[in-house]
Each structure stands twice: as structure tokens, then as C-alpha cells.
Amino acid sequence: MLDYEFRFRNFISLAQMTMNHYLITRFNLSRPEGKFLDPSWLKYRSQIFERFTLPTVAKQINGRFRWFVLFHFNSPVELRRNAERWQRACPQFEPLWTCGRDTVDNWEFIGEGNWARSTSGQIVNSRIHRESAGDWIITSRLDSDDAVSVDFIDAIQQAFRGREESINLHNGWKWHQNNCHPLKHANNPFISYAEKCSRQLRTVFWKSHKNMGLQVPCQQVGGPRDG
């Protein structure tokens, strides 16, 4: 009886919590060589994004999330026009323009505790604080050349347990040599991070996805290929 009462009280407590969910994509933050401002690279990446990434996010069965897509502020006009069109195609899509040239914005430093100090991290955190009134914040990674299942957002939110932890949907597929291959990854690039809302948000980019499970407990969530 006592165990039942404890579980019931815990359920009520979780139900009363409020949570905001943010999907974050770094589209073309610059590296020193400026690759991510190259017109040919941007055209190629935009085609992939529009064909695979954008439609899978727009078709989520759970629309209770915001999608921050970070672009370099020196991006060409064509990419800005694309961003406006993508925003019309997906109500959750919100472009954020950042310099992306801070030392700590270089990719080799991201994920080693410097994200919150970077220009990009400050812009994201400021945007979250401007609208979030929840007790908890979930941030999820998504690269600009990847796709997710239609229940991706819902699965993460269903897995949320009202505690600080990473949430990893470990089943996926990898496109390699013109074929799709099943892939199971304990700390994949789509990982999420749940934390209490505070003025000093870490977000999912606090650590690299490979090291996230070493810093906080990681809840492994299966998918259609389990069982």
C-alpha cells in the first residue's frame, strides 16, 4: 500500500510539472576556413535540409516544441529567403542569426563546457528565457542533414521523468553507400538533455553527444525495432 501511495504521489507531482521543449540545429556556423559560407556548400546543404530534415520535423505528431535553427549572420540573401520559406512550412521553425566566429564557437570547443559562453549559446539561452515559464527545459540536437521519425518529439516528452538526465533514442538508420543500415547508438547525435529551468542553462550542447552520458544519467529509449 505504501509503495502504491508513493508511486501515485510521484505521478501527481510529475503531472503538475511544466516543461518546454526546444529542438536546436546549427545550420552553418562557421569554421576558420569559412566552409559554411561557401555558396556551393550552402546550396547543397539547403537541398538536403529541405528534402529530409525539414519535412520530418514539420510532420511531428506532437507539435508542442520550438525549433531554433542557427545561421551565420553573414549568410547570403538566398539562404535568408530559404529560411523565410522554411518558417512558413513549419510553424515551430525559428531562425536565429549569430556571428558564429567566437573562438569558443569553433566546433572542436563546443560540447566541452563552453557553449553557454559562446555567442550562439547566449542567443539560444536568451531566446528560451524570453518565453519559457516552465519548471523544466528539454533541449534536443538535430543536425541539418538528418531526419527523424514523426514521433521523435513525442517519444522524448513521453520519456521525460522530471529529473536531470539525457534522453537517448538509441534506434536509428544510417545512409551509407546508397543503402540504409540499422544503427543502435548509446549516445547518438539526436540526444536530448532535461534540466531545471534556471538563468544558467546548459542545454544539450553543454557536452558533446558522445560524452553526455558520462556527465549525467542517460535514459535509453527504444523504438520500433526493439522487442
Side-chain angles (χ1 to χ4, degrees):
M1 182 65 179
L2 289 177
D3 179 66
Y4 172 79
E5 290 177 351
F6 171 78
R7 286 185 284 113
F8 181 74
R9 287 197 302 269
N10 187 57
F11 172 79
I12 294 297
S13 175
L14 184 59
Q16 291 173 342
M17 291 180 182
T18 54
M19 173 269 296
N20 293 88
H21 191 177
Y22 300 91
L23 187 62
I24 305 175
T25 297
R26 299 176 300 189
F27 191 92
N28 69 325
L29 299 191
S30 67
R31 287 179 173 175
E33 66 268 24
K35 169 185 174 182
F36 292 165
L37 292 176
D38 178 72
S40 60
W41 185 90
L42 287 174
K43 180 179 180 180
Y44 172 72
R45 182 52 65 102
S46 294
Q47 290 172 344
I48 293 177
F49 181 83
E50 192 163 325
R51 181 180 179 185
F52 298 106
T53 312
L54 178 67
T56 61
V57 175
K59 293 178 181 178
Q60 291 298 299
I61 60 174
N62 182 343
R64 297 188 300 275
F65 68 99
R66 179 86 62 185
W67 186 14
F68 296 147
V69 183
L70 279 70
F71 299 92
H72 196 289
F73 78 94
N74 280 337
S75 297
V77 173
E78 184 62 30
L79 183 58
R80 290 181 177 268
R81 290 174 179 166
N82 285 344
E84 292 175 358
R85 181 161 47 82
W86 296 337
Q87 194 168 17
R88 292 192 295 270
C90 179
Q92 294 84 6
F93 181 102
E94 182 174 336
L96 298 179
W97 304 92
T98 174
C99 72
R101 292 188 299 180
D102 290 354
T103 301
V104 293
D105 260 346
N106 292 342
W107 283 47
E108 61 266 29
F109 292 97
I110 292 297
E112 301 308 321
N114 291 312
W115 168 258
R117 295 193 294 112
S118 71
T119 302
S120 303
Q122 291 174 8
I123 289 174
V124 168
N125 286 0
S126 175
R127 185 63 191 85
I128 291 175
H129 285 132
R130 199 187 322 161
E131 73 169 17
S132 180
D135 300 310
W136 289 83
I137 300 295
I138 298 177
T139 48
S140 303
R141 294 175 51 112
L142 180 63
D143 289 338
S144 60
D145 60 346
D146 289 332
V148 292
S149 63
V150 295
D151 61 346
F152 176 73
I153 293 293
D154 195 63
I156 295 167
Q157 294 184 12
Q158 291 291 336
F160 172 63
R161 300 185 290 192
R163 65 182 70 170
E164 181 187 4
E165 64 180 352
S166 56
I167 301 171
N168 185 69
L169 276 59
H170 58 230
N171 281 343
W173 297 84
K174 180 178 181 179
W175 179 259
H176 181 63
Q177 296 181 345
N178 295 320
N179 280 299
C180 268
H181 305 272
L183 181 68
K184 193 167 186 175
H185 199 310
N187 293 285
N188 68 49
F190 307 90
I191 202 165
S192 300
Y193 175 56
E195 62 184 307
K196 276 198 169 184
C197 187
S198 70
R199 297 306 303 176
Q200 301 295 325
L201 289 173
R202 289 173 164 175
T203 78
V204 71
F205 287 108
W206 164 54
K207 294 292 181 183
S208 68
H209 66 88
K210 295 178 181 179
N211 293 329
M212 181 68 77
L214 301 176
Q215 304 298 323
V216 294
C218 183
Q219 180 188 171
Q220 297 292 336
V221 180
R225 290 192 288 107
D226 280 344

